Amino acid sequence: MSTLKSLASAALFATAMLLSACATHGPATSPATTSVKANAFSGLVPFATDEGMARLGRADAKSDFAALANQFEAQYNGAFCGPTSAAIVLNTLHSRRADLPRDHTRLRKDDVQFMPVGADPIVPRFTQDNVIDRGPKTRAQVLGEPITVGGKQVKDFGYQLRQFDAMLRANALVTTVVVVDDARPEQAIRADLADNLARGGDYVIVNYRREAVGQKGGGHISPLGAYDAASDSFLVLDVNPAAAGWVWMPTATLVKGMRTFDTVENRGYVLVHAP
């Protein structure tokens, strides 16, 4: 009986850690229900509403939106909000490059049994899986293999901010990582993010805690798509639509979510510079 209790406790702990890495999964909600809940917490406005669409229409800083939306995909693994965000940005920057990787891990043996010899049906592009392979944190570590943090062995699901930045750099991106500590003023953060979104060819990815912004779940990573000055809000292109969906988030709320502690330091954002 004690063995069963220990196994159950371990499973619960692992699940809790996994949910802290990225967003929780839950049943889909209707836009109306989502809108009511969102407006009840920190002024969040779902993109798929009249107000959400109006903000995009009037926003000046939205140079990144169309390009990112064209390459958008949802995360398929609870710990993969980081790799998904990376794949979206990489495909946005390099969609026409001749040497894009082909991820054959997605191809089943039976898929090619009737194809001509040498044919390759895989579309060349970055995927949630192959971006991990180039980074310093292994797939096993992302999914819970213990690593050493502060001299202790811990399960570190998903990506901390600097781990995520290291993975982007390993995939040949030029980045600036910004930790949102107590000393960084909100106005400087707003300027950083809005200036990036007003230019084409460079991108910004944010790392925040869902609970701090009025959503369910733990730490999360997603790219930004636009900034609306009239409402002082950013469009978060949430890579886990099963948990939250795209949402306009007030600057103060987003900053509050980034100004949260994660294992060794606060969360923050990564500016991806044009090649």
Side-chain angles (χ1 to χ4, degrees):
M1 182 64 71
S2 60
T3 301
L4 289 175
K5 288 183 177 179
S6 297
L7 289 173
S9 297
L12 288 172
F13 176 76
T15 301
M17 290 297 292
L18 179 59
L19 295 181
S20 72
C22 275
T24 57
H25 294 279
T29 56
S30 69
T33 301
T34 301
S35 178
V36 170
K37 290 182 177 179
N39 288 326
F41 291 107
S42 307
L44 305 184
V45 173
F47 176 69
T49 60
D50 290 344
E51 172 62 18
M53 298 296 288
R55 290 188 185 189
L56 181 64
R58 73 186 179 218
D60 291 326
K62 56 184 176 186
S63 294
D64 297 345
F65 176 77
L68 289 170
N70 189 52
Q71 297 293 344
F72 185 83
E73 61 181 270
Q75 66 184 86
Y76 78 87
N77 183 304
F80 280 14
C81 54
T84 305
S85 299
I88 291 169
V89 169
L90 282 160
N91 286 320
T92 301
L93 282 168
H94 303 306
S95 62
R96 304 301 180 196
R97 209 173 72 183
D99 61 342
L100 287 176
R102 293 176 183 265
D103 189 350
H104 290 97
T105 63
R106 298 187 169 191
L107 193 65
R108 300 177 182 178
K109 183 178 181 180
D110 291 345
D111 291 342
V112 296
Q113 60 179 327
F114 300 113
M115 298 191 68
V117 176
D120 189 350
I122 293 297
V123 175
R125 63 185 287 106
F126 293 94
T127 69
Q128 299 173 39
D129 297 287
N130 63 26
V131 297
I132 296 176
D133 295 339
R134 298 187 180 187
K137 192 172 186 180
T138 68
R139 183 185 178 91
Q141 291 170 344
V142 173
L143 292 170
E145 181 183 41
I147 65 172
T148 302
V149 176
K152 296 181 180 180
Q153 287 284 301
V154 299
K155 291 185 176 182
D156 185 39
F157 290 99
Y159 287 85
Q160 298 170 40
L161 181 63
R162 292 188 193 276
Q163 294 171 340
F164 176 64
D165 181 61
M167 187 257 286
L168 294 177
R169 289 175 174 268
N171 280 277
L173 290 178
V174 179
T175 65
T176 299
V177 62
V178 180
V179 176
V180 178
D181 55 25
D182 292 338
R184 185 166 294 274
E186 181 179 301
Q187 62 185 24
I189 297 170
R190 179 191 293 104
D192 253 3
L193 304 183
D195 288 349
N196 181 288
L197 292 166
R199 294 188 303 269
D202 59 358
Y203 302 93
V204 57
I205 305 172
V206 293
N207 173 211
Y208 59 96
R209 185 164 182 81
R210 283 198 185 277
E211 291 175 339
V213 303
Q215 297 175 331
K216 291 184 179 180
H220 192 57
I221 296 172
S222 282
L224 295 183
Y227 172 69
D228 173 43
S231 62
D232 191 21
S233 62
F234 289 92
L235 178 58
V236 180
L237 303 180
D238 199 312
V239 297
N240 189 349
W246 293 6
V247 66
W248 288 96
M249 191 176 294
T251 298
T253 303
L254 178 58
V255 171
K256 180 182 177 183
M258 293 189 291
R259 209 187 300 275
T260 52
F261 189 76
D262 181 20
T263 309
V264 297
E265 62 183 341
N266 278 12
R267 296 175 173 87
Y269 55 95
V270 178
L271 301 170
V272 179
H273 304 291

